[in-house]
Structures are given as structure tokens and as C-alpha cells.
């Protein structure tokens, strides 16, 4: 998929809130979903996920948080984009228990999209660098389906950072209250051997949000049946996410089912393994077989 073709059909506009401006790309119809790209930005792979969500019946707004919209992934591009993101105050990539300005911006975009689509609320999906931003966005009442795929910020260079939730204490408390009083659920995904998205973070999220935290951990241990490498990181944009029967394909299906369920008021069941069951998905430490 080329740079131009990956953006075909998407309407773009600038949006400013609290002094932060980013370009928004929107397409589709149905309940609203805000998609936050992973580093280096809105690559063809990220836009492939966005198109999949549109085809699944959602109105999707992609926020161009970093990088050049539509630019293909390359090692140099990823390195340069990561370096810029790490020194940007909006993201506070190394801070712990931090109130990040970007989370407030994402909440404003969520409200804006909900004003357009209506319905019970909207979903927010973050990946890698942006994973925790999606969870912190759940402070906003219209956010009913927060999804964090391989959340990596703050970078786990110390034990404290590896277990950090990626949000401030005040945001944690607000989200936890929504879990208790509203039945809010937060969906998380990672590969079992992924060091960029450490298991300590998922354990901390379970401790903070209890059964409101729904983890999907896909086995990437050596010799797993699906042949997933031990260095695998990106779940929803994995090269095999479009291949029926692959664990990452199933993970995409679970995310779509979670969004549909939460944004259409259908109840508390989520899709897993070809059937619907009630949350939570996996107890701490349990992994999907990977095939």
C-alpha cells in the first residue's frame, strides 16, 4: 500500500484544543472510534487497521500525533520519529504517574467525535507509544471502550517505569471509580515476550482496575504454534492480523467485538475464541496459545 493509497477516502482537518494542534483523518459511519497511531505514525499498516475498523461499521478518527501521514515504515523513520516524540512535552515519555497533555487532547477529540456520531459513547484505541493515552482518555465520560495494545510509555528502563500505568494518580482514581460505578472495562493486548510492553504494567493495571481490566496476552514464546517471533511487538498491525486463524487476527476480532458491545449497549460480553463469554478475558499470567 502506497502513501497516497493508504489515505484515500479519508477527510483531513486540523483540530486545536488547549494549545495543542494535530491533523485528524476521519472516515466511515456508525459508532465513533478514535485511533491513535503507534510510532512512527500513520503508516500504511496503521491505516490498514483504520480501514478494517471502518469496514467493521465504525466512524473512525485517526489523530496524526507524530510522523508524516501515510509515510511507509522504515528503520530510520521509526528512529527519528521516536526521538522527536521522546523530547516532546506533550507526551512526557519518561515521566511516571504523569498527567500528560496529550491525554486531555485525546479526550477533546473523543467528545468532538461523539458530538458527530451520537450514541452511548466512543472507543479509543492506542498502540505502543500511544497505548496509555487511550487508557487515560477514559477519564472522559463519553469514552466507553478504551483499548491499549502493547502500551509502552513510560519506557520500562527501571522497575518503577515497567510497572507504571501510563497515567496520573488522579486519572487512575477517576477511571477506577468509573469501573466501580459504571462497569467500565479497559481492554489490553500484548505478546507474552514483549519487553517494550512489560508484563509488570499489565499486573499494575489489574491491581488498579480489578476485573475491569481485560488482558489478552498472545504467546510469543519460542516454539509457539503460530510461529510468532519472541521479538514481536505490534499486535493489531501485525503482518498476519489479516490471516484468518492467526492469533493476531483473532485479537482484532475481539477488539471489534468489544467496541460493538460497549458502543451499542449490547451488554458486557466480549468475543473470544469464536464464542462470546463474559469479561474478564484472561486471569493474570494466562496466555493465549498462539495458534
Amino acid at each position: 500500500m502506497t502513501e497516497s493509497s493508504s489515505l484515500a477516502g479519508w477527510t483531513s482537518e486540523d483540530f486545536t484544543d488547549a494549545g495543542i494542534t494535530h491533523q485528524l483523518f476521519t472516515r466511515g459511519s456508525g459508532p465513533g472510534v478514535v485511533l491513535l497511531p503507534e510510532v512512527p505514525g500513520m503508516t500504511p499498516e496503521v491505516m490498514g487497521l483504520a480501514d478494517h475498523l471502518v469496514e467493521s461499521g465504525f466512524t473512525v478518527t485517526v489523530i496524526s500525533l507524530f510522523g508524516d501521514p501515510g509515510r511507509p515504515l522504515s528503520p530510520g523513520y521509526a528512529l527519528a520519529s521516536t526521538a522527536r516524540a521522546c523530547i516532546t512535552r506533550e507526551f512526557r515519555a519518561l515521566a511516571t504517574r504523569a498527567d500528560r497533555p496529550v491525554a486531555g487532547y485525546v479526550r477533546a477529540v473523543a467528545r468532538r467525535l461523539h458530538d458527530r456520531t451520537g450514541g452511548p459513547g466512543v472507543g479509543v484505541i492506542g498502540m505502543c507509544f500511544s497505548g496509555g493515552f487511550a487508557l487515560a482518555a477514559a477519564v472522559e465520560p463519553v469514552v466507553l471502550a478504551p483499548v491499549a495494545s502493547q502500551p509502552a510509555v513510560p519506557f520500562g528502563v527501571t522497575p518503577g517505569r515497567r510497572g507504571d500505568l501510563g497515567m496520573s494518580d488522579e486519572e487512575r482514581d477517576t477511571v477506577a471509580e468509573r469501573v466501580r460505578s459504571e462497569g467500565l472495562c479497559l481492554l489490553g493486548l500484548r505478546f507474552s515476550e514483549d519487553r517494550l510492553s512489560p508484563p509488570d504494567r499489565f499486573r499494575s493495571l489489574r491491581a488498579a482496575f480489578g476485573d475491569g481490566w481485560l488482558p489478552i496476552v498472545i504467546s510469543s514464546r519460542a516454539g509457539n504454534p503460530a510461529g510468532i517471533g519472541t521479538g514481536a511487538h505490534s499486535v493489531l498491525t501485525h503482518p498476519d492480523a489479516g490471516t484468518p486463524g492467526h492469533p493476531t487476527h483473532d485479537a482484532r476480532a475481539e477488539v471489534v467485538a468489544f467496541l460493538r458491545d460497549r458502543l451499542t449497549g449490547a451488554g458486557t460480553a466480549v468475543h473470544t475464541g469464536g464464542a462470546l463469554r463474559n469479561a474478564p478475558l484472561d486471569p493474570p499470567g494466562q496466555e493465549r496459545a498462539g495458534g
Side-chain angles (χ1 to χ4, degrees):
M1 187 181 293
T2 65
E3 179 174 340
S4 59
S5 66
S6 68
L7 300 178
W10 291 83
T11 301
S12 66
E13 58 184 325
D14 289 343
F15 174 65
T16 301
D17 181 77
I20 298 174
T21 301
H22 290 292
Q23 197 171 12
L24 309 182
F25 291 77
T26 301
R27 189 165 81 86
S29 60
V33 176
V34 178
L35 178 62
L36 313 178
E38 56 199 347
V39 169
M42 290 172 52
T43 62
E45 291 78 13
V46 169
M47 296 312 294
L49 171 62
D51 287 334
H52 175 74
L53 293 169
V54 169
E55 292 161 5
S56 298
F58 300 101
T59 302
V60 179
T61 290
V62 188
I63 306 177
S64 182
L65 289 175
F66 24 71
D68 304 317
R71 181 176 173 179
L73 175 66
S74 69
Y77 176 36
L79 182 61
S81 183
T82 301
R84 284 192 294 270
C86 284
I87 62 174
T88 301
R89 182 186 177 280
E90 177 187 353
F91 303 133
R92 303 188 67 189
L94 295 177
T96 58
R97 300 167 66 178
D99 186 353
R100 294 175 169 83
V102 66
Y105 181 85
V106 173
R107 291 192 282 265
V109 173
R111 290 191 296 270
R112 188 173 188 267
L113 181 58
H114 184 246
D115 287 343
R116 169 177 171 166
T117 60
V122 302
V124 181
I125 301 174
M127 302 179 288
C128 182
F129 197 95
S130 66
F133 308 161
L135 301 182
V139 168
E140 167 56 49
V142 304
V143 175
L144 300 184
V147 179
S149 188
Q150 75 273 358
V153 170
F155 296 132
V157 293
T158 66
R161 287 187 172 93
R162 287 193 288 273
D164 191 85
L165 301 179
M167 65 182 73
S168 68
D169 291 349
E170 183 178 359
E171 288 169 329
R172 177 203 61 203
D173 293 345
T174 300
V175 174
E177 177 55 34
R178 291 194 65 201
V179 169
R180 288 190 293 269
S181 63
E182 303 174 27
L184 177 73
C185 290
L186 307 90
L187 185 64
L189 307 96
R190 64 179 294 271
F191 289 110
S192 65
E193 309 309 301
D194 184 5
R195 295 184 179 182
L196 294 177
S197 181
D200 289 357
R201 183 158 297 142
F202 270 37
R203 284 191 281 269
S204 294
L205 287 161
R206 169 68 74 172
F209 305 125
D211 288 345
W213 173 243
L214 311 179
I216 297 175
V217 180
I218 299 173
S219 177
S220 57
R221 291 180 178 176
N224 68 83
I228 298 170
T230 57
H233 176 61
S234 298
V235 176
L236 300 178
T237 59
H238 189 276
D240 290 314
T243 303
H246 193 271
T248 55
H249 180 276
D250 295 343
R252 269 196 183 185
E254 297 214 29
V255 169
V256 168
F258 175 71
L259 293 169
R260 283 179 178 156
D261 175 70
R262 290 285 158 171
L263 303 183
T264 61
T268 59
V270 291
H271 187 277
T272 178
L276 286 171
R277 73 177 184 183
N278 289 331
L281 292 175
D282 293 319
Q286 182 172 333
E287 299 173 3
R288 302 300 171 85

